Amino acid sequence: MGKHVITMLPGEGTGPEICEAVRKVIDHSGVEIAWEYEDIGLDCLEKHGTLLPEKTIKSIAKNKIAIKGPTTTPIGTGHKSANVTLRKLFDLYANVRPAKLIPVLKRPWDQIDILTFRENTEDSYAAIEHMVSDEVAQCLKVITWPGSVRIAEFAFKWAKANGRKKIQCVHKANIMKMTDGIFLDAFREVAKKYPEIEAGDIIVDNCCMQLVRNPAQFDCLVLPNLYGDILSDLCAGLVGGLGFAPGANIGDNCSIFEAVHGSAPKYAGMKKVNPSAVLLSGVMMLRWIGEEAAASKIEKGMNKVLAEAKTLTYDAGGTASTDQYAEAIMRAMDTI
Amino acid sequence: MLTKATTGRAKRPSKPITLVGVDVYIITENGIPQFDDYGAFKIEFISNRGTKVWPGYVSEDLMLVNWYRCRFMATKTVTDADVDTFLAALTKKWKWSAAQKLWNYGDEAGFSKAY
């Protein structure tokens, strides 16, 4: 396979140190990648006057693949989220987040392997908000038929290609009969084309309760944007927290892979943060571009380090630095 | 009639309200709308599913639905009557599902921008 050109977005806070460790591990896998480093996030606001410079946009548009470190989204007021802007700009409509148990992290469950497919461009994330009187704010929840059909199509195709057995649509259509109703109707319509996959639906509040009570019953979940945001974090918590939670934002022609955790600015420069989530996002990216051997090598190396439990970052109960953990993974990869 | 239910609730300190524009939700199958000059109101941006599609860069991958939020900002001091006149003119050419007045509360905009 030829050399890939991939946009690297280190982000801010702990992002640059995490992404540097991740780049070394990915390069160590033998895959040929020419990295294009571009700025994004609060740190480039002073430099470029924007969270998302035009040069960064052009690089992603050209390369079609990017991997991104964490960025901070100002709360309440101020600038728009760079993450949401990217998703909208490139129509990255499918947010895929796997939640699998990590061996070294002791959890109360034996088996969790849940894939969430979050619709990534609609819902209350359409950024249509108004103060309609001095004491009333409203936010439009926008759910469309074509947007709902394509995330359902994406989920069923992914499930079929990866041998998954069951997909459930998560909704609140008993209350939001039109918005969540259209999402559920579209899911049911698409499900008819995939009789080999068991299709069902579950109301979002019941889904949350069932997830914390018996997560092993779930396989794949398809959700509108807001429920997907919340439940994918819930799933990440079930398997050991955001330090091990990768994610992919996929569109028809462009994809951006990123961890779901924040930039942890209080740890910036200390090189102690767990790079696993960004690294696993990199593994997803390698699989997406057809580099299965490299992806598998990294995954096995990481699992070996976690199973040995000698070189772990603080969140996993160890004292290793970001770099020491990455170096241990590279040494483990050499033995595979 | 004022009752305890309306007077006894928590009140937010109020700020002076200024009408500065109107969001109009246009339905069209003919792509991104192009508007005539409406004098008191000038088109500032158009978004589709919350994503800005005019002016500026639009990804060729972007999926558009037939419903556009069109933000018109006032070019001068305007009143509710100006909004009525504007919407009456707009109705002659465009089908729209809703309009939302845009107010500033003190110095702060009471409305979000598009992504």
Side-chain angles (χ1 to χ4, degrees), chain A residues 1-4 30-33 285-294:
Chain A
M1 195 158 281
K3 194 168 187 173
H4 304 279
V31 65
E32 285 192 78
I33 295 174
M285 177 185 78
L286 291 173
R287 292 209 162 99
W288 186 251
I289 62 176
E291 296 285 1
E292 174 57 39

Side-chain angles (χ1 to χ4, degrees), chain A residues 80 122 127 130-131 135 253, chain B residues 9 23 49 61 63 110 112 114:
Chain A
K80 295 181 292 185
E122 300 190 345
H130 298 95
M131 291 298 300
E135 57 184 6
N253 284 305
Chain B
R9 69 186 188 274
D23 276 352
R49 300 184 307 127
D61 299 328
M63 185 192 72
S112 59

Side-chain angles (χ1 to χ4, degrees), chain A residues 289-303:
Chain A
I289 62 176
E291 296 285 1
E292 174 57 39
S296 175
K297 198 171 179 182
I298 295 170
E299 202 170 47
K300 284 176 182 165
M302 192 180 124
N303 284 339

Side-chain angles (χ1 to χ4, degrees), chain A residues 228-291:
Chain A
D229 192 2
I230 296 166
L231 265 68
S232 55
D233 269 25
L234 193 162
C235 291
L238 292 175
V239 298
L242 294 180
F244 290 92
N249 298 293
I250 298 175
D252 286 336
N253 284 305
C254 186
S255 303
I256 299 177
F257 296 80
E258 63 175 342
V260 294
H261 59 66
S263 59
K266 67 178 177 180
Y267 294 129
M270 295 167 74
K271 295 201 169 184
K272 64 181 287 187
V273 171
N274 185 351
S276 297
V278 177
L279 185 57
L280 288 169
S281 303
V283 168
M284 290 181 81
M285 177 185 78
L286 291 173
R287 292 209 162 99
W288 186 251
I289 62 176
E291 296 285 1

Side-chain angles (χ1 to χ4, degrees), chain A residues 81-304:
Chain A
S81 157
N83 284 344
V84 178
T85 305
L86 278 178
R87 292 169 201 162
K88 288 182 167 290
L89 205 56
F90 293 105
D91 212 16
L92 308 175
Y93 62 87
N95 178 226
V96 186
R97 285 180 55 177
K100 274 183 93 164
L101 279 178
I102 302 292
V104 71
L105 300 174
K106 298 283 180 282
R107 312 301 295 169
W109 303 281
D110 297 328
Q111 168 74 31
I112 300 177
D113 185 1
I114 303 169
L115 259 178
T116 53
F117 297 92
R118 164 191 173 194
E119 201 293 320
N120 219 11
T121 61
E122 300 190 345
D123 201 346
S124 37
Y125 289 67
I128 306 178
E129 289 192 293
H130 298 95
M131 291 298 300
V132 292
S133 89
D134 55 353
E135 57 184 6
V136 180
Q138 72 171 17
C139 173
L140 286 195
K141 171 169 171 155
V142 178
I143 305 277
T144 72
W145 177 261
S148 304
V149 166
R150 70 176 178 174
I151 186 64
E153 287 272 14
F154 184 94
F156 276 99
K157 277 183 192 161
W158 184 296
K160 189 177 175 181
N162 290 280
R164 311 294 293 220
K165 307 290 181 213
K166 185 168 82 172
I167 303 187
Q168 284 164 288
C169 176
V170 184
H171 62 88
K172 191 74 181 174
N174 54 331
I175 303 298
M176 281 164 275
K177 295 176 190 299
M178 292 185 193
T179 48
D180 284 20
I182 206 172
F183 192 82
L184 179 57
D185 284 350
F187 172 84
R188 286 174 172 158
E189 197 64 32
V190 172
K192 290 176 189 168
K193 295 195 283 183
Y194 297 87
E196 67 276 29
I197 296 173
E198 182 187 341
D201 68 276
I202 182 167
I203 292 173
V204 62
D205 43 331
N206 182 31
C207 186
C208 291
M209 191 269 288
Q210 296 287 346
L211 274 168
V212 295
R213 208 171 79 159
N214 178 21
Q217 68 181 292
F218 292 100
D219 186 348
C220 300
L221 303 174
V222 183
L223 316 92
N225 208 339
L226 182 60
Y227 309 150
D229 192 2
I230 296 166
L231 265 68
S232 55
D233 269 25
L234 193 162
C235 291
L238 292 175
V239 298
L242 294 180
F244 290 92
N249 298 293
I250 298 175
D252 286 336
N253 284 305
C254 186
S255 303
I256 299 177
F257 296 80
E258 63 175 342
V260 294
H261 59 66
S263 59
K266 67 178 177 180
Y267 294 129
M270 295 167 74
K271 295 201 169 184
K272 64 181 287 187
V273 171
N274 185 351
S276 297
V278 177
L279 185 57
L280 288 169
S281 303
V283 168
M284 290 181 81
M285 177 185 78
L286 291 173
R287 292 209 162 99
W288 186 251
I289 62 176
E291 296 285 1
E292 174 57 39
S296 175
K297 198 171 179 182
I298 295 170
E299 202 170 47
K300 284 176 182 165
M302 192 180 124
N303 284 339
K304 191 173 177 190

